[in-house]
Amino acid sequence: VQLQESGPGRVKPSETLTLICTVSDYSITTGYYWGWLRQSPEKGLEWIGSVYHTGMTSYKKSLKSRVTISVDTSTNRFSLKLTSVSAADTGVYYCARDRFGSGSFDPWGQGILVTVSS
Amino acid sequence: DIQVTQSPSTLSASVGDTVTITCRTSENINNWLAWYQQKPGKAPKVLIYQASTLEFGVPSRFSGSGSGTEFTLTISSLQPDDFATYYCQQYNHYSRTFGQGTKVEVK
């Protein structure tokens, strides 16, 4: 299984960040959740949320009001939308397979750097 | 959210040393803890899950222990490839939080 993030490298403050994760060599409908995480020097590693192939989601409490994670089983992809971004949302964003049963993430995509700046 | 406190933040060691990293959680998480290794410019890679289960393909010099609120990662006979940053991550009530990381550097 391989995961690859795609999306803009720069987003303006107050706008919406949208990222897509393409899953290869594995069906997204095969019994796992799929998650988004991010990493910055200020906040470290942070789980943002996860989605099941049915569309069921779970989000980090402090981000819940700004986050939407959805899945497209026809294209084997899932996406992240984060609204009203600020400089605090700058960081490397990763998608990963969420092994709900063990509580861990594996594998991860290579990551994409997103900078919030005007 | 459950808080995770990882220590030390930096650890200086030599090849062949045995090193130990500790994570403490603010609530009882039973054994819902994972350990990751991250190298510069790369994504984290899981080493251990459920506190003590070694991920397939990970060398046996890595081991994890603990339950409840205190956990340790031990690397026996440190190898050159092991100099990296290590993170713990808890899972409880579908909340996930990571420790701040421990950088294992060359002494």
Side-chain angles (χ1 to χ4, degrees):
Chain A
V1 53
Q2 296 180 71
L3 297 92
Q4 176 71 58
E5 306 88 351
S6 59
R10 185 178 298 273
V11 182
K12 293 181 179 177
S14 80
E15 294 191 343
T16 296
L17 164 66
T18 301
L19 296 175
I20 290 173
C21 183
T22 301
V23 180
S24 304
D25 302 323
Y26 195 88
S27 172
I28 206 167
T29 61
T30 310
Y32 285 100
Y33 277 74
W34 303 90
W36 285 99
L37 307 97
R38 65 184 182 181
Q39 185 173 28
S40 65
E42 296 76 23
K43 296 183 182 178
L45 277 165
E46 183 179 30
W47 169 70
I48 299 170
S50 298
V51 64
Y52 197 57
H53 68 84
T54 58
M56 187 161 54
T57 54
S58 183
Y59 300 131
K60 182 181 173 81
K61 275 188 216 171
S62 60
L63 296 172
K64 192 171 183 177
S65 63
R66 298 196 292 130
V67 172
T68 303
I69 297 176
S70 58
V71 62
D72 185 342
T73 57
S74 68
T75 59
N76 222 42
R77 302 191 299 184
F78 62 104
S79 63
L80 166 70
K81 288 188 191 294
L82 181 65
T83 62
S84 304
V85 298
S86 69
D89 295 308
T90 292
V92 177
Y93 284 72
Y94 296 99
C95 59
R97 184 172 62 179
D98 182 346
R99 305 187 308 185
F100 184 89
S102 73
S104 59
F105 297 95
D106 181 76
W108 299 50
Q110 65 183 28
I112 182 169
L113 174 62
V114 177
T115 302
V116 179
S117 168
S118 54
Chain B
D1 284 348
I2 293 174
Q3 305 305 309
V4 179
T5 304
Q6 188 175 339
S7 61
S9 56
T10 307
L11 193 160
S12 298
S14 302
V15 171
D17 286 352
T18 294
V19 301
T20 300
I21 300 168
T22 298
C23 261
R24 292 186 174 86
T25 57
S26 59
E27 296 178 31
N28 183 346
I29 59 166
N30 296 306
N31 68 340
W32 292 105
L33 189 107
W35 290 97
Y36 298 83
Q37 177 192 69
Q38 187 178 33
K39 295 186 176 177
K42 301 290 188 183
K45 171 189 158 188
V46 67
L47 301 172
I48 287 167
Y49 59 92
Q50 288 182 324
S52 61
T53 303
L54 196 66
E55 179 73 15
F56 180 77
V58 173
S60 58
R61 63 180 179 271
F62 292 92
S63 63
S65 64
S67 67
T69 62
E70 188 155 338
F71 303 86
T72 59
L73 171 70
T74 300
I75 312 173
S76 303
S77 187
L78 198 69
Q79 297 300 298
D81 191 48
D82 300 338
F83 292 99
T85 300
Y86 295 84
Y87 295 92
C88 58
Q89 172 241 312
Q90 69 81 23
Y91 164 54
N92 182 263
H93 299 304
Y94 223 84
S95 154
R96 318 290 188 89
T97 44
F98 289 81
Q100 303 92 328
T102 296
K103 183 177 181 181
V104 177
E105 62 179 24
V106 177
K107 190 172 186 179

